[in-house]
Amino acid sequence: MTAYYSCPHLTSKETNIAVLAGRRRQLNTFTNSLIRLLAQRRLGEMAEEDFRPLSEEISSFSLVTEARSGAQVTQPFPRSPKLIRRTGANSPKPSELPVWLDDLKKERKRTESHLESIKKRQANLNMSSEAMKQQVQECFEELHMALQEDEKAVLDMIEQDRRETSSKLHRILQDWNQHLSLLQKHISAIQSAQQSPAESMKQPFPEDFTLTSCRKKLDPAEEEIKINEERIHKLMKVLRNISKDLKAQLQRKSLLLDSFNVAIDKQTCHKQIKLTSEGRGLCLSSEDRCIPNEPLRFDQLYCALGSVAVTSGQHYWEVDVHCCPSWAVGVAYGSLQRRGRDKGAKLGRNRCSWSLEFQNGHLMAWHNDRHVALPVTAARAAPNRVGVFVKYQKGRLVFYDAETMRTLQEFSAVQTAVFERAHHQFTEPLYPAFRFFSPKDKGHHHMEICDLSL
């Protein structure tokens, strides 16, 4: 390489080109050597210490070329220590091999044991599910048998009524057939007498024969001989009510599996609300209680909140309101305002609460200061028991008539257009909420949280 610098006839540009060409040839030589050494190392033919002369040679080559060129050469970044440690960790030392082997055997044993436990759980799962299916089938078979037995009893009752009625009608039919035969006999005798009077004198008519005696009187009791349709109609009404109740109970059974134990938080109750039945009953009185005015307490509205919040999953509870002339039942965030009588504290009049409200004979669902009027008729009266279902993650809230399981109102991401909510999701813990209206209303103001324990 010194020949490139000792030629006086070369220009500066030509000298630099010659230097770079020499460096390239040397770099190719070292690269090929490095590739061969890596191949040998990969085959296990070379120790790690054999790389040190090569690395020192490369470093000296870089320094010499940098000094000869006279230019500042930027060296690449050094290899990351993590990569160096990771590369070294792939090959354990001979002294470490027994330890590694022992650890791997222990891990294999632990894995095999865990796999066996999972297989046992899977087998137990199949067995338990089959046992549950068998129990459910037995329960439904009992229901089927009870229904079939009752169906047979009702059908037998109708058949027995039919037979008795048919027997009575058969006797009456025979009586009238005999009367008809007698009339035919008399008519034939009269016709014969008309044709041959001499012969008719030899066979006179019976002494008691008169036209009046030939007329058979109609018995009014004959009209009463029929199947007891009134009884059957009553039976059909009873069966329809049983069918409705059964359907409601079958629908309710799924909700009862998610029953929620609701109790009233006495620190949130208005001063005129008294708690009964271990915090499950609320009664509105006309007198204030001498209790401290705590920050969580409603100071103007006759409201109360539950003591336990819903933060996940799905939950169901029922409230008996048949002893209250006006009421509101719903859910609310804990951030619901407790002071004053403005919309921020009223159930359903803000974004923090949802309610089903009955007042002045009108049933309405409220949220975000908007409401939906629900029909109240003789066929669809106001509920005596309100069911509340919450599916927290889905943002779903449903109010039911718990006696018929009729859906009164549903709040969800699908059915919220009237409440101006594009997406209906719960963002805070939900508390069961209750409200009385003016105690001046006639009637006993009492609400009771139903015990749904199975």
Side-chain angles (χ1 to χ4, degrees):
M1 290 180 63
T2 56
Y4 296 108
Y5 296 97
S6 63
C7 295
H9 62 278
L10 295 176
T11 62
S12 176
K13 184 175 182 180
E14 292 173 343
T15 302
N16 292 334
I17 293 175
V19 170
L20 291 175
R23 291 177 60 194
R24 182 176 297 174
R25 284 193 295 270
Q26 277 193 333
L27 181 60
N28 290 335
T29 301
F30 283 115
T31 302
N32 294 332
S33 301
L34 181 60
I35 291 174
R36 287 194 301 272
L37 292 173
L38 287 174
Q40 294 175 1
R41 175 65 186 275
R42 192 169 295 176
L43 295 174
E45 299 175 355
M46 185 176 182
E48 185 176 355
E49 289 77 7
D50 296 335
F51 280 92
R52 293 176 182 173
L54 179 62
S55 60
E56 293 174 358
E57 187 176 356
I58 293 175
S59 301
S60 62
F61 164 73
S62 301
L63 294 175
V64 170
T65 53
E66 180 181 352
R68 288 179 178 177
S69 63
Q72 182 68 28
V73 179
T74 303
Q75 297 293 333
F77 290 105
R79 171 173 284 191
S80 170
K82 293 183 179 180
L83 296 178
I84 296 174
R85 288 196 299 271
R86 189 180 301 125
T87 304
N90 290 335
S91 301
K93 296 179 181 180
S95 60
E96 296 177 345
L97 290 178
V99 178
W100 282 44
L101 181 60
D102 187 50
D103 289 343
L104 290 175
K105 288 182 178 180
K106 289 180 179 179
E107 179 63 20
R108 182 182 64 182
K109 186 177 180 180
R110 190 182 69 86
T111 303
E112 291 174 349
S113 176
H114 187 61
L115 286 174
E116 288 297 325
S117 66
I118 293 176
K119 291 179 181 179
K120 289 181 180 179
R121 288 176 56 191
Q122 187 175 16
N124 293 334
L125 174 64
N126 295 333
M127 293 176 59
S128 61
S129 64
E130 291 299 327
M132 291 178 184
K133 289 180 181 179
Q134 184 67 25
Q135 293 175 0
V136 171
Q137 288 177 352
E138 291 176 357
C139 290
F140 276 98
E141 285 177 1
E142 291 178 0
L143 290 175
H144 291 162
M145 290 179 61
L147 290 174
Q148 289 174 356
E149 290 176 359
D150 191 71
E151 178 186 5
K152 185 178 182 301
V154 172
L155 294 178
D156 290 345
M157 181 193 70
I158 296 176
E159 179 64 19
Q160 180 66 24
D161 194 3
R162 184 197 68 79
R163 290 177 180 177
E164 293 177 358
T165 305
S166 178
S167 178
K168 292 178 182 179
L169 290 176
H170 181 68
R171 289 194 296 268
I172 293 174
L173 184 63
Q174 287 181 340
D175 189 22
W176 279 97
N177 282 330
Q178 291 177 0
H179 178 66
L180 179 61
S181 298
L182 182 62
L183 290 177
Q184 291 289 353
K185 182 178 179 181
H186 291 331
I187 290 172
S188 298
I190 292 174
Q191 289 176 348
S192 298
Q194 288 178 346
Q195 293 176 359
S196 55
E199 294 293 334
S200 64
M201 295 300 296
K202 296 180 181 180
Q203 297 179 356
F205 288 96
E207 295 180 357
D208 57 347
F209 174 77
T210 61
L211 290 177
T212 305
S213 64
C214 291
R215 294 190 180 95
K216 185 176 178 60
K217 294 182 179 180
L218 296 176
D219 188 358
E222 293 181 4
E223 299 297 328
E224 302 297 327
I225 301 176
K226 58 184 178 180
I227 292 180
N228 193 343
E229 296 181 357
E230 182 180 358
R231 183 181 179 86
I232 300 301
H233 289 326
K234 289 181 179 179
L235 175 63
M236 293 303 298
K237 289 182 180 180
V238 172
L239 290 176
R240 289 191 184 98
N241 291 333
I242 292 175
S243 178
K244 290 180 181 179
D245 294 340
L246 180 59
K247 290 179 181 178
Q249 291 301 321
L250 290 176
Q251 182 182 357
R252 186 168 175 259
K253 77 177 189 314
S254 301
L255 298 174
L256 290 178
L257 299 178
D258 299 311
S259 59
F260 186 58
N261 188 18
V262 177
I264 308 301
D265 185 358
K266 61 182 181 180
Q267 294 183 350
T268 65
C269 296
H270 186 271
K271 292 183 178 181
Q272 292 182 224
I273 295 179
K274 296 181 180 179
L275 298 183
T276 59
S277 303
E278 299 180 355
R280 303 182 66 87
L282 302 89
C283 184
L284 181 63
S285 65
S286 57
E287 299 178 357
D288 290 343
R289 294 179 296 158
C290 296
I291 54 177
N293 193 9
E294 300 177 358
L296 299 178
R297 193 180 306 282
F298 289 91
D299 65 341
Q300 296 292 328
L301 299 174
Y302 306 114
C303 295
L305 298 181
S307 59
V308 181
V310 175
T311 57
S312 62
Q314 52 190 36
H315 304 277
Y316 177 77
W317 64 92
E318 294 178 356
V319 185
D320 191 338
V321 294
H322 80 281
C323 289
C324 193
S326 56
W327 46 266
V329 174
V331 294
Y333 291 151
S335 58
L336 180 68
Q337 183 177 322
R338 316 294 174 90
R339 295 290 183 262
R341 302 183 61 87
D342 57 3
K343 295 179 180 180
K346 294 181 179 179
L347 296 183
R349 304 315 196 268
N350 45 68
R351 288 179 174 266
C352 297
S353 58
W354 297 255
S355 70
L356 182 72
E357 177 181 305
F358 181 72
Q359 188 179 15
N360 299 325
H362 299 286
L363 185 65
M364 294 170 287
W366 284 87
H367 173 59
N368 196 25
D369 201 27
R370 289 180 171 269
H371 73 278
V372 173
L374 306 176
V376 177
T377 61
R380 291 190 172 187
N384 292 324
R385 179 182 291 190
V386 178
V388 184
F389 175 74
V390 174
K391 196 168 187 178
Y392 190 86
Q393 279 82 357
K394 297 294 183 180
R396 185 167 178 245
L397 170 66
V398 187
F399 292 104
Y400 293 99
D401 183 341
E403 293 180 336
T404 63
M405 296 314 298
R406 175 170 58 97
T407 300
L408 300 174
Q409 179 61 35
E410 178 177 354
F411 295 92
S412 66
V414 180
Q415 304 177 8
T416 53
V418 70
F419 301 101
E420 293 185 344
R421 298 293 294 274
H423 301 284
H424 193 275
Q425 294 292 335
F426 299 126
T427 58
E428 299 180 32
L430 281 176
Y431 291 86
F434 313 87
R435 182 187 177 187
F436 295 102
F437 291 93
S438 175
K440 297 179 181 179
D441 296 340
K442 296 181 179 180
H444 183 59
H445 297 261
H446 177 78
M447 284 189 278
E448 185 80 18
I449 300 170
C450 303
D451 184 7
L452 302 182
S453 58
L454 299 176

